[in-house]
Amino acid sequence: MAGEALGPVVGATAVGGAVELALAAVAYRNRERPAARAFGWLSLAAGGWALLQVAVLTAPSPAAASAAHALAGPVSSQVPMLWLVFAAVYTGHRERLTPGRLAALWTPLTAYSLVQLTAPIHGAPLAPVRTVTENGITAPATVETLPFALYSLVAYALILAGYVLLIAFLLDSRNVYRAETGALVLGGLFPTAGAVVVSAAGGIHPGVSVAPVLFAVHGVVAGLVLFRYNFVGVAPVATDLLAEELDDPVLVLDDEDAVIDHNPAAGRLVDGDLGGRHVDAVADGFAARLDDGAQVTVDAPGDDREVSTFSVGVTTVDDQYGATKGRLVHLRDVTDQQRRLDQLTAMQAATQQFIGARTAAEVADIAVRFAGDVHGQAYAALFRYDEGADALVSEAITDRLAAQLGVDPDESIRVPRDSGPLWTSYEDDERRTFEGERDLVVGPYAFGSASALFLPLGDHGVLVIGREEAGGYTETDEQLGEILARTTETALTRVEHEEQLRTSRAAVERRNQQIEFFNGVLRHNIRNAMLVVDGHAEHLQSRVGEADAEKLETIRTWCSDLTDMTEKIRAVNDTVTASEDERLERVDLSAVLREQARGLSDRYEVTVAVDVADDLTVAANELVADVVGGVLSNAVEHNDSARPRVRVTTEPLGEWVQVRIADNGPGLSDEMQTQVFQREMATSQTAHGFGLYFVSVMMDLYNGNVWFEDGEGVGSPDGSWTDGGPTDGRSADGASSDGEPTDGDATDGGSADEGADGGPRGTVVVLEFRLADEAPQLSAGG
């Protein structure tokens, strides 16, 4: 998770959590003092909430962030109740905190949090959690639902009840600790009013609360009241001391927006005394901006920067009658955050340029230009590794760095291996920081008075950014540099892969053209040659004896087979080289299976039983008939049974349909079942170089599957071989075309499906096709 607000939010929240935990420890050491224990538990819960929020923002993965977010809920839900308990104890109402009342008050928020925490178990969250990206921060956030609104209402009711107790105690005429109580009330406004103000201003992120940070302010105030000063004495107003020490400007305005009080930080915003002057003296139109919560930019003469940017927090000050008497204005310095926001916005624009870059040189120019113009780095250069020269060579460099090195901006700087921190960073793949304590070395060049970051780009090279100041880099600067480096590395990798892809596409195109050429030669030359041979054989058939005529008929048969084979090879080549959209079409598999079964019965002495579902339309092409025919022929050609039998069945399985072709042949060993689909088996154990390897290739092109299973239990559903089932083929021993047995059928359950030892025989080939309805954008075919 990264973003312009992440660093400041994490830092502030972590500091707030540490302060709260420290205050809890102080409360434990002073646990004998009144309200110390209640304050300690409140500080402990607020500190835990803050640290869990830090864990959410810095989690290494969405799962870890969600887990930390889930734990933060039960912890944060204790804060409102503990605040009420602290207020009751502090104001002397401990006796009202009976076990029954505590249980009644504690149950709603705790029960809600436990239901939310266990939601992954029972699956019924009261308020779903979703991952949200806002202001550059990606973190879990709770969706606002009715239960969540009721939970928030109860929480605010408990907080309000605590304020009521404190304010009533403050107004009590017998209260000799009015100053301390007033300090507690004012300190308590920081988390409550601050959270409301930030929320009203749009918030940082739906899953990020400023309350844990602002609770630290309340904790400091309460700690001063409870532990530093004499509780029973006249203590100073802690808020006055706090405001004096704050680095952020704080102003108190009357009802006409004149400054009636301010802390020293606010006095540095203007020349001269700020007291009594209208608030617009700080910045033009400042009073109007107090109402809309907009940021304000101030040319502050007391700051060491040209301008400073502040976020504005405003709390109205009302009297006991509800009349507004003034406003408390807190200005939080967000100059660095605003600068980072501007830089990250520019980084987003640069990312679009990276996406559009087509060469490594373009990527390098974008990276160096961004580092110089936006990141504010006078010196920037990108060095790419040159494998041939075994050196890092500059791809792009800023003009100021080129001038400092005394080279032309278009001149390549070659840095040999083991030449300074540039090579060290590249070889170790680790960031190196140079803080100006010695001369900066870039290959054969060196110059001093500079700070620099060496940012490795993986195998591509190193990005160097630097500036003339020798003060080093902040953590935020380093993070921005890392973002630029990672974006640059990704862009270089993409450009490299696109170049490889273009090269591969060109090679594939050349190969397709070559295949098309030889495919044409195969079709034209062999087909013409076969026509010539067939013509001469036909001419000689009527001029030779009967024995020689049979040999000539064999020649003619082979001519026909070879001609058909060339056409099949052409179809296979077209299928292999086609894209998936061009390769696949809708094919009526039911019709193909029945037609091939009938053809098998015509060609061989075999009984064929067919049990095929209707309207099976699959994603294939015209060669599916050869695929099915090849499997059927294989089932007969290697069948040594006295009565060869083949059974074809189909079984739809969701998006797929399985075609099972079973035979009662000798079966295959486990080793042969895995080898028979391999290319080496294609010419040695199958006819004409086509066979089960061809089947395997085509099924892969159809995005389908093919495998063998043992033949145990093949045949009818009860495991026996019968001829009475539905068939579409004609058995060679006399079965009718509808599969009814004739006198020649073996219906006695004899040994046709058993081996010599009486065990089961046969093999099942399973063809698995994807149904066409589950494969969109197919052309009509089959």
Side-chain angles (χ1 to χ4, degrees), residues 61-97:
S61 67
S66 297
H69 182 268
L71 290 175
V75 175
S76 62
S77 67
Q78 304 305 306
V79 172
M81 186 61 203
L82 290 172
W83 161 256
L84 177 59
V85 170
F86 167 71
V89 173
Y90 176 80
T91 56
H93 296 99
R94 182 188 295 272
E95 73 280 358
R96 298 185 181 180
L97 301 177

Side-chain angles (χ1 to χ4, degrees), residues 424-461:
T424 304
S425 180
Y426 175 70
E427 292 179 323
D428 295 347
D429 197 29
E430 293 182 0
R431 182 182 67 211
R432 290 286 188 278
T433 303
F434 182 86
E435 298 184 355
E437 69 275 7
R438 62 188 186 279
D439 287 347
L440 174 61
V441 178
V442 180
Y445 307 96
F447 58 96
S449 301
S451 300
L453 289 176
F454 293 83
L455 303 163
L457 305 174
D459 294 334
H460 300 290

